[in-house]
Amino acid sequence: MERMLSSALWVWGASVAGSVGGLLFWVLVAGLGGAASVGSAAAEVGFGVFLSSLLNFGFAQYVLREVPERGGSALASGLLASAGVGLGAFAAGLIAGRPLGGALALASLVLNTALAGLVAGGRPRLYFAVGVFNAFFKLLLLWALRDAALSVALSSALSAVLGASLALYVVGVGRPGNWRGVFAAGAGNYWNNFSAGFAVSAGVVLAESVAGPGAAGVFYLTAMAALVVGSFAFSLSTSGIPVMARLGTAVAERVTRVGMGATVPLVAAASALAGPLFGLLGRDFSGAYPSLALGLVSAAELVAVNIAVAVYNVERSWGRLAALGLVSSASLVASSALLSGLAPWGPGAALALGFLPGFLLAARDVGAYPSLASASVAFLFSVLGLLLGPLWAAPLALASLLSLHLIGVVRVGELLGLAKAALRL
């Protein structure tokens, strides 16, 4: 558990750097061109995320699962498969008249697989380094080019080349093979990967078509904030697959408890800070903060979903993995179609309700009580944060952690002990 948490902290650090870099990036975009500029750029970027989600066949998860056993052969297979599918995404972008979105999709698919290789190869610090480069290099490109979509696409492309080179150096270059296993993992992970990206991609496109660029910007930023707050669960999932491949999945419920202990206080604090965070983007966004507070509940739901994904990958339970993804995809489609264009709370409600069915399925296999109890606490404190405001951010975060302690989800002392042990590794 300590080794898994140590790796997760580096992966999470990359997510934190990405959130900080992303916030600065969109603040700068808003300062350069206002809400319309944010919406137009978000639509282009959202199209790229949509393509990468639509064509994300789980090759990164294959690398995480198989590199501990197959080494460079598994990494080479995963990278080649990702690049091949990514070229298809780029061609689709050209046909749709959004070449930058297609290029972003290609780069993202290769980058995700390369980063998985670094984690599976036991080098999460390099994952962090590549993540920091991608997070902040686009700021330099935006300053130089004054083109938001182009800056994101170029930064992702350079990061993909860097990440793939480092992964091949760390793991080694092997002969590609086991294509049956590659595509079995891809088929099993496909719907879950699609559902995870759908809230950001299709929802942005839908919001733009229904309510214009401003609504697209609100949806995109709400979804990104929720995914960032829930990123520790993704980090645990990413780091947990190679560890559980060696040691088994008996630790899944404990991992869920730890993930909830780290995530729910962030939900509480970020909900209280929703107003000032959206206010940084200007008056056009200042009234949309209820969407952010409600959307953050999905971060707690994603803890159980992501840990379940790790368990199913380790056990090669492709049927359960596909079922989880199908349910999440269908519910996200429905909630995004019905709610994403409703201001000011619609996008956030679409996220929270869209992830709920998948969360309920996942909770059965990773700990029903800690999952359901933690999600309830997250909802309660998101509402309190929305009502009380930014001055209560720290007290609400501490109170939510104490609540998890009192109801037996996770002990504060356990979290502190694990954190100290992980930092020593």
Side-chain angles (χ1 to χ4, degrees), residues 12 56 63 65 95 142 153 244 305 324 346 371 402 410:
W12 190 41
N56 186 351
V63 166
R65 174 63 180 86
I95 294 171
L142 179 62
M244 286 191 286
V305 171
L324 175 62
S371 298
L402 180 61
V410 65

Side-chain angles (χ1 to χ4, degrees), residues 17-420:
S19 67
V20 173
L23 176 61
L24 294 175
F25 181 83
W26 291 110
V27 167
L28 183 55
V29 173
L32 290 173
S37 178
V38 173
S40 298
E44 183 75 33
V45 172
F47 182 77
V49 176
F50 174 77
L51 282 179
S52 60
S53 301
L54 184 65
L55 298 174
N56 186 351
F57 286 93
F59 301 131
Q61 285 93 339
Y62 171 81
V63 166
L64 287 166
R65 174 63 180 86
E66 299 297 335
V67 160
E69 296 181 4
R70 299 178 182 272
S73 174
L75 177 60
S77 298
L79 287 174
L80 283 175
S82 297
V85 172
L87 288 173
F90 180 64
L94 291 176
I95 294 171
R98 293 186 181 269
L100 291 178
L104 176 60
L106 167 59
S108 297
L109 290 168
V110 175
L111 176 59
N112 288 340
T113 303
L115 292 175
L118 292 173
V119 173
R123 301 295 292 275
R125 289 173 175 82
L126 291 179
Y127 183 114
F128 174 76
V130 175
V132 169
F133 175 83
N134 189 35
F136 293 102
F137 189 65
K138 62 176 175 281
L139 292 172
L140 179 61
L141 290 174
L142 179 62
W143 175 80
L145 302 175
R146 296 296 195 272
D147 187 318
L150 178 60
S151 299
V152 173
L154 282 176
S155 179
S156 297
L158 292 172
S159 299
V161 172
L162 176 62
S165 300
L166 289 172
L168 289 168
Y169 174 76
V170 168
V171 177
V173 180
R175 183 177 180 179
N178 190 34
W179 293 110
R180 181 177 180 180
V182 171
F183 290 105
N189 280 284
Y190 175 76
W191 286 106
N192 180 73
N193 290 337
F194 177 74
S195 67
F198 183 82
V200 181
S201 52
V204 169
V205 174
L206 178 62
E208 184 190 34
S209 65
V210 171
V218 171
F219 191 98
Y220 178 79
L221 294 170
T222 300
M224 289 301 295
L227 292 175
V228 165
V229 171
S231 62
F232 188 74
F234 171 77
S235 303
L236 281 173
S237 172
T238 300
S239 302
I241 291 175
V243 173
M244 286 191 286
R246 298 186 183 98
L247 304 179
T249 59
V251 298
E253 181 170 335
R254 189 184 182 198
V255 175
T256 301
R257 292 175 183 273
V258 171
M260 290 295 189
T263 301
V264 172
L266 291 177
V267 171
S271 297
L273 294 170
L277 287 174
F278 263 31
L280 289 173
L281 298 171
R283 289 182 298 176
D284 293 329
F285 293 95
S286 60
Y289 66 90
S291 175
L292 177 58
L294 290 175
L296 289 170
V297 176
S298 63
E301 296 170 334
L302 284 171
V303 175
V305 171
N306 281 308
I307 302 306
V309 167
V311 170
Y312 299 158
N313 270 283
V314 171
E315 296 177 345
R316 296 189 176 97
S317 299
W318 309 129
R320 285 191 294 172
L321 188 58
L324 175 62
L326 281 168
V327 168
S328 296
S329 297
S331 61
L332 281 168
V333 168
S335 63
S336 296
L338 293 172
L339 301 173
S340 62
L342 300 178
W345 50 268
L351 288 169
L353 292 175
F355 278 115
L356 181 60
F359 162 73
L360 294 175
L361 281 179
R364 301 177 307 170
D365 296 317
V366 298
Y369 174 72
S371 298
L372 296 173
S374 299
S376 301
V377 172
F379 176 74
L380 172 63
F381 279 89
S382 70
V383 174
L384 289 175
L386 180 61
L387 295 175
L388 296 176
L391 294 179
W392 288 83
L396 287 174
L398 292 173
S400 67
L401 181 58
L402 180 61
S403 298
L404 295 179
H405 177 92
L406 292 175
I407 64 177
V409 171
V410 65
R411 300 297 180 185
V412 175
E414 179 187 8
L415 289 178
L416 293 175
L418 285 171
K420 291 178 181 178

